[in-house]
Each structure stands twice: as structure tokens, then as C-alpha cells.
Amino acid sequence: MTAAKQYTNTRVLINKSFEGATPNKSHFRTETVTIEAPELKENELFTQALSVSLDPFIRFDFSGDATESSVIGYVLSKVLDSKNPLYPVGSTIFSPTEWAQYSHISNPEHLADVNRYDEAIASSGLAPSLFNGILGVPAFTVWHSLKQVGDLKAGETIYISSAAGTLGQIAGQLAKRKGLRVIGSAGSQEKIDYLINELGFDAAFNYKTQDKKQALLTAAGPKGLDIYYDLVGDDTVDIALEVLNPNGRILSIGVLAMHQNAAPYAPKNTINILMKQLRYEGYLVFENYAHFPQFWEEMVPLVKSGEIKFKETVIEGGKVEALGEAYVNVLAGKYSGKVSVQLASL
């Protein structure tokens, strides 16, 4: 009987739970062990990490008694062994995976959230890192939510919170392409200038220094507001419920406030949903991955031509040991755009 191949595997574990808004380096630890290639069961995968996507929601891995458990994030990986016909050996996938050099993907929830990217990467001729952001799940979330829930109409006005973030930037540009007037909010003058001067937003305001309601009313002007694209999940929704035109829409897409340790927010003036006949709808991306081919067909040419602008930071030559510190720096706002750590090349 042939002995199983062995691998030296470094992975990141949660060292301790944290109090306050965000973890720091001391809340992570790494371990390096020798593992044998697992004997896979039906549908399971054994993978090597190529590029790790650093996303704010990872802080929820710390909830409850998570000490000594693995950190789980989205990882672009190469399939080394497979019992899943959808993802054969050699294919490149994007999925929830341990922060580790090598991973045995056996959790049914994680297996249900796998996307195959190798054909799209090869045909696009673009850097694989882009499939962590502008051509990956973040941009797909925006693209499909606007199509499925947004019901965008030329001439309408949309307001996007956290507009300078990865999703907000894309939402604004796609809405402009549909002929909408776009308003955004962000937390610094540098970000406001970027939204207006680089991305083509029609108006933007600083939610930290301006009265949000008055700023939104001024930016919306006499035509008012038709859509609120909510990426934050805070009390801004009360302002939107008050400001929205009759038959307006709220798209609940993100909960940035919860990532920053705020309690879930419950809107107070929901009577406006009835009186104005508003539509308030949430969107989760996980049930809609079948539409990725149409997304790539539309977005790859726009990214190639520069018609869709984006920022990304790729930490090249990274190591698993550096993931915790890099993630802390993401939460501190030390990088621009979507952040990935490259661990290996395709």
C-alpha cells in the first residue's frame, strides 16, 4: 500500500477572543505541522491556497468560544485532490477555506459555496487577484443585486452608503452606466474627492462631519431619492425611509456597522414603508452563483477597457504567518481597495 503524501502545513488559529471593535495581532497564532493528504469522501476537496481575500466579516469567526479554532475566509485555491466532479484536480476555485497552506474542504456549507474560476481567469487574460474583488464575489454581489432587486431605471436617483468601499465603488459605477444619478457618502474628504473626480458620482458627502439628513436632501435635490443601497445597516436607514420618494426601494446588502461591533439596528419609522408604498428587500449572494458566467461576460470587457475603475492591494510573496497582521491593517484602513495576500502562483 502506497504511503499517503505528506505536507508541511502552516495555518492560522484564533488565539483568544477579543473585546471591543476589532481584533489585533495577539488574537491570532500560527502553527506548522506535518499532515498527510486526506482520504477524501464524496464531494470533498484537498486544496493549496494561492491567494487569500481579506474581508471585514472574518471578525465574526471570533464569536462565542472560538479559541483554538481555524480562521475561515475566502481563498483562491488550486485543487490537489478531488472527489467532486465539478472541481477536478488542477482546477482553480474560490471558496470559504481555512487560512492555511493546505486545506481539506469537507464542511457541506463550504462545499456549497465553491466557485470554479480557472476557465474565467484563463480566458480573461487578467491577474488572478482581480477574481478576489472586481471580478469575484464582491463585484458579483453588487452586479446581481442591482439587477435582481434594484429594478434600476434611467433618470432615478440612488444613494449608496460606504460608497468608497469595495462594493460601494462598483455600485456607483454600474448605476451610472444605467443612467441613474448617483449620490455617495464616505468618511473623509479624500474619499469624497475620489468618488466625484475619479468614479463620476454626481454628489457625495462626509457622513462624519455633515448632518446626514440635510446632506442627503441637498444632494438629492428637487427630484428626491428613489433608491437607498444600504451597505452599512445603521440609523441611516431611518433617514432614507423619510427621504425616499413614493414607490422607492431600499436594498439591504451589507452590515458594515456590525463589522465595527455595533449592535444590529432596527428601523424606527417603518410606517413610511406602508404610507409611501416602499419596497425594503435584502439580498444574499450565496444562492445566485449560477449567474457568474453572465457577470463575467459583462464585466471582464469593462475592466479590461478601464471603463470600470477599481483599487486593489496585493501583498505579494506573502506567508500564512502574516495573514493576521495584514487583516488587522485592513480593519485599520491602511490599504487601498480590495486586499489580497498572494501565497503561491497559479
Side-chain angles (χ1 to χ4, degrees), residues 76-99:
L76 192 68
S77 306
K78 178 73 72 177
V79 176
L80 301 180
D81 194 11
S82 173
K83 289 287 186 177
N84 191 318
L86 295 176
Y87 314 111
V89 172
S91 57
T92 303
I93 62 169
F94 187 74
S95 67
T97 308
E98 289 182 301
W99 280 4

Side-chain angles (χ1 to χ4, degrees), residues 304-327:
K304 274 188 166 182
S305 68
E307 292 176 75
I308 293 291
K309 298 179 174 64
F310 64 94
K311 289 184 177 181
E312 72 162 347
T313 297
V314 180
I315 303 172
E316 297 182 350
K319 296 183 178 181
V320 172
E321 294 91 330
L323 288 172
E325 181 176 4
Y327 176 65

Side-chain angles (χ1 to χ4, degrees), residues 116-326:
R116 185 174 176 181
Y117 279 9
D118 49 298
E119 294 177 1
I121 292 173
S123 64
S124 74
L126 295 169
S129 63
L130 298 184
F131 289 79
N132 283 335
I134 191 65
L135 293 174
V137 171
F140 175 78
T141 299
V142 174
W143 176 85
H144 194 253
S145 65
L146 289 175
K147 282 182 175 291
Q148 178 168 293
V149 186
D151 189 27
L152 305 186
K153 300 180 180 65
E156 292 185 321
T157 297
I158 185 172
Y159 163 51
I160 302 163
S161 55
S162 189
T166 302
L167 275 66
Q169 294 181 31
I170 300 165
Q173 293 180 83
L174 292 180
K176 285 292 294 181
R177 293 184 62 82
K178 293 292 185 180
L180 278 74
R181 187 167 183 275
V182 179
I183 302 167
S185 59
S188 72
Q189 189 57 48
E190 180 183 2
K191 291 177 179 179
I192 298 302
D193 292 342
Y194 176 69
L195 293 175
I196 294 174
N197 299 329
E198 298 294 328
L199 300 187
F201 279 54
D202 296 284
F205 63 88
N206 188 329
Y207 70 89
K208 292 182 178 179
T209 62
Q210 296 177 260
D211 178 272
K212 289 189 289 188
K213 179 180 176 181
Q214 188 55 53
L216 182 55
L217 284 169
T218 300
K223 290 189 175 181
L225 180 66
D226 301 293
I227 305 168
Y228 173 38
Y229 196 79
D230 185 6
L231 293 168
V232 179
D234 66 358
D235 61 355
T236 306
V237 72
D238 284 330
I239 298 171
L241 286 167
E242 185 173 344
V243 172
L244 276 165
N245 292 329
N247 300 303
R249 287 93 74 200
I250 297 176
L251 282 64
S252 180
I253 309 297
V255 287
L256 179 61
M258 288 180 64
H259 297 323
Q260 297 171 342
N261 214 36
Y265 186 78
K268 295 180 174 62
N269 54 348
T270 54
I271 186 64
N272 285 318
I273 298 174
L274 170 63
M275 301 308 293
K276 295 184 182 182
Q277 300 183 81
L278 304 177
R279 181 156 57 85
Y280 191 159
E281 188 168 350
Y283 173 87
L284 288 175
V285 69
F286 312 111
E287 300 175 353
N288 298 291
Y289 289 148
H291 299 278
F292 250 111
Q294 295 94 327
F295 162 73
W296 283 322
E297 183 179 356
E298 180 177 329
M299 287 292 288
V300 167
L302 296 177
V303 172
K304 274 188 166 182
S305 68
E307 292 176 75
I308 293 291
K309 298 179 174 64
F310 64 94
K311 289 184 177 181
E312 72 162 347
T313 297
V314 180
I315 303 172
E316 297 182 350
K319 296 183 178 181
V320 172
E321 294 91 330
L323 288 172
E325 181 176 4

